[in-house]
């Protein structure tokens, strides 16, 4: 059983059946008290979309529909429990692809109705942050303690968020154009590295010949006086570099370009995150979203924050990219506060974090 904190001490354990279907992953998890993972099953369609160079929404929703019941059954089998163990149901209702979201949300609401269980819709971005509450290691793990700073970096979002307390989000900065993950995906396509781009660029960069300096440096958009990011100029600069080399017949090492690109993204994200953490005086920073899986970003942020006595926390790789365990973690804190959603809850493809205040 998960270790109790002040928010849930002396209460009955709460086991949540959590469903995630916002994009091209179908996930079902059984999560106790927002932290203990009894089952976490993810069916990924990435290989299907790889042949198109990106996610095709119509294909994604059809695959969600095919996967949801088998994934649900596998999750129960993995946990070795039946419906009797489930106290509530939660499903992602946004942001994401409408057709994909609809599958998991409808499944969640239908099961809740059929089983007479409380239901809650979960914000996918909030869930990425709450992946940091999951007990994923062997050893006892303490909860992150507010106030916190979170860097949320996924395929569609790049946001610096100040969390004064559970559920209270302040948007400090965000991307003005492409999200960090989107930039990885677009540049991977330019480099012929395929989809999803983030892991492919990371792997290419790791294979660079490090016995000589990288001949390329790509630009960072600092946007002084703000906590905002911008990555579209970097993508254009990478394209220009490749076009120039191809026109002049210069032989270019893809690994060098991948490394220079990754370095520029990591530098921009890490520099602003560290400054924001110092400006707000937080003792802990959370990394969240698919790009949190990037090893160069983790290492750079950890080194820079360690040097300032600030702790960096990030989920293990499998919990950075889309999964249902994080949906169960986020849902827990809402359900404990007595929050519930009705069966009329609809998908919200453009849902944001519920920001109380913006800009600092
Ligand atoms: O959070 P996520 O799984 O889905 C969304 O909610 O968007 O994030 C997907 C994004 C993709 O853009 C993918 O290229 C990126 O996360 N990503 C990475 C890595 N692994 C996944 N980016 C950089 N380095 C990685 N290792
Ligand atoms: Zn995500």
């Amino acid at each position: 059983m998960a270790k109790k904190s002040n928010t849930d001490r002396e209460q009955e354990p709460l086991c949540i059946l959590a469903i995630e279907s916002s994009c091209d992953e179908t996930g079902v998890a059984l999560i106790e008290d927002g932290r203990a993972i009894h089952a976490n099953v993810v069916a990924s369609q990435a290989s299907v979309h790889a042949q198109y160079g990106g996610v095709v929404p119509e294909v994604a929703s059809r695959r969600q529909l095919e996967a949801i019941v088998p994934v649900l059954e596998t999750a129960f089998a993995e946990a070795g429990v039946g419906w009797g163990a489930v106290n509530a149901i939660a499903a992602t209702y946004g942001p994401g692809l409408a057709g994909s979201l609809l599958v998991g949300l409808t499944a969640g609401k239908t099961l809740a109705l059929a089983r007479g269980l409380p239901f809650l819709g979960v914000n996918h971005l909030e869930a990425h942050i709450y992946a940091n509450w999951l007990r994923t290691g062997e050893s006892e793990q303490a909860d992150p303690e507010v106030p916190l700073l979170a860097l949320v970096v996924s395929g569609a979002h790049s946001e610096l968020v100040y969390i004064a307390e559970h559920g209270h989000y302040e948007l400090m900065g965000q991307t003005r154009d492409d999200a960090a993950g989107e930039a990885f995906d677009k540049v991977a396509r330019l480099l012929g590295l395929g989809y999803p781009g983030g892991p492919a660029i990371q792997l290419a960069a790791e294979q660079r010949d490090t016995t000589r300096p990288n001949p390329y440096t790509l630009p960072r958009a600092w946007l002084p006086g703000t906590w905002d990011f911008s990555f579209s100029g970097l993508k254009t600069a990478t394209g220009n570099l490749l076009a120039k080399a191809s026109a002049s017949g210069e032989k270019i090492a893809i690994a060098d370009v991948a490394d220079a690109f990754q370095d520029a993204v990591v530098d921009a994200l890490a520099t602003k995150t560290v400054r924001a953490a110092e400006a707000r005086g937080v003792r802990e920073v959370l990394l969240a979203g698919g790009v949190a899986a990037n090893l160069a970003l983790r290492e750079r942020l950890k080194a820079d924050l360690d040097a300032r006595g600030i702790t960096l926390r990030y989920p293990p790789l499998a919990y950075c990219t889309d999964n249902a365990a994080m949906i169960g973690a986020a849902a827990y804190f809402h359900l404990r506060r007595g929050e519930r959603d009705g069966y009329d809850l609809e998908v919200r493809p453009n849902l944001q974090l519920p920001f109380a205040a913006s800009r600092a």
Side-chain angles (χ1 to χ4, degrees):
M1 188 188 291
K3 187 168 161 274
K4 304 265 164 155
S5 77
N6 288 337
T7 49
D8 48 21
R9 196 172 286 147
E10 288 162 20
Q11 297 200 52
E12 284 299 305
L14 179 56
C15 184
I16 301 171
L17 176 80
I19 303 173
E20 155 63 29
S21 74
S22 64
C23 190
D24 59 345
E25 261 98 28
T26 313
V28 176
L30 279 151
I31 304 298
E32 186 183 314
D33 286 345
R35 302 171 182 90
I37 304 165
H38 293 316
N40 181 46
V41 181
V42 180
S44 175
Q45 319 166 7
S47 59
V48 177
H49 298 283
Q51 60 186 305
Y52 306 108
V55 177
V56 182
E58 291 79 3
V59 175
S61 57
R62 178 172 291 265
R63 289 279 173 149
Q64 289 283 359
L65 207 49
E66 289 165 5
I68 188 75
V69 173
V71 170
L72 187 70
E73 285 170 348
T74 310
F76 274 113
E78 192 176 297
V81 297
W83 276 103
V86 179
N87 308 114
I89 297 182
T92 309
Y93 75 109
L97 300 171
S100 288
L101 286 166
L102 200 54
V103 174
L105 181 63
T106 308
K109 290 193 295 189
T110 309
L111 290 167
L113 178 65
R115 296 279 160 184
L117 290 166
F119 174 75
L120 190 90
V122 173
N123 182 318
H124 180 88
L125 294 168
E126 186 173 49
H128 270 303
I129 295 174
Y130 275 85
N132 285 289
W133 267 258
L134 292 167
R135 299 277 151 82
T136 52
E138 297 282 300
S139 56
E140 275 292 306
Q141 219 178 295
D143 283 346
E145 275 185 42
V146 290
L148 293 156
L149 182 75
L151 175 65
V152 184
V153 271
S154 70
H157 290 262
S158 300
E159 288 162 6
L160 259 179
V161 181
Y162 177 71
I163 307 169
E165 48 188 289
H166 275 288
H168 288 245
Y169 303 102
E170 179 191 333
L171 179 63
M172 290 183 72
Q174 63 185 326
T175 183
R176 298 213 178 155
D177 38 60
D178 292 349
E182 188 180 357
F184 269 99
D185 293 336
K186 285 178 175 170
V187 168
R189 212 173 303 158
L190 289 177
L191 296 174
L193 292 174
Y195 173 85
I201 287 189
Q202 181 183 312
L203 189 65
E206 282 166 1
Q207 284 162 356
R208 195 182 86 73
D209 173 7
T210 50
T211 58
R212 53 170 181 72
N214 192 330
Y216 310 112
T217 309
L218 288 162
R220 285 94 163 121
W222 290 117
L223 306 170
T226 78
W227 302 110
D228 285 349
F229 307 107
S230 165
F231 297 111
S232 77
L234 172 60
K235 174 197 64 195
T236 308
T238 312
N240 290 344
L241 173 75
L242 294 171
K244 229 171 97 191
S246 135
S248 68
E250 181 196 345
K251 214 166 145 24
I252 213 160
I254 292 297
D256 285 341
V257 184
D259 178 69
F261 166 80
Q262 179 173 266
D263 198 46
V265 175
V266 167
D267 195 15
L269 291 173
T271 303
K272 289 225 164 160
T273 303
V274 171
R275 284 192 200 146
E278 284 189 304
R280 288 305 175 95
V282 298
R283 288 172 38 208
E284 211 172 333
V285 171
L286 307 181
L287 200 46
V291 183
N294 187 272
L295 294 182
L297 177 63
R298 291 172 169 213
E299 281 169 15
R300 164 76 188 273
L301 258 180
K302 182 160 172 23
D304 289 3
L305 290 169
D306 272 356
R308 289 162 177 82
I310 303 168
T311 306
L312 175 70
R313 201 189 274 250
Y314 45 76
L317 288 182
Y319 300 95
C320 287
T321 47
D322 291 348
N323 65 87
M326 67 184 193
I327 303 301
Y332 172 76
F333 293 92
H334 289 279
L335 287 163
R336 273 287 191 237
R337 290 196 290 264
E339 296 170 32
R340 305 281 186 270
D341 282 306
Y343 303 127
D344 57 349
L345 183 72
E346 291 184 359
V347 298
R348 295 271 303 278
N350 300 315
L351 188 68
Q352 298 282 325
L353 278 171
F355 294 118
S358 337
R359 311 269 157 196

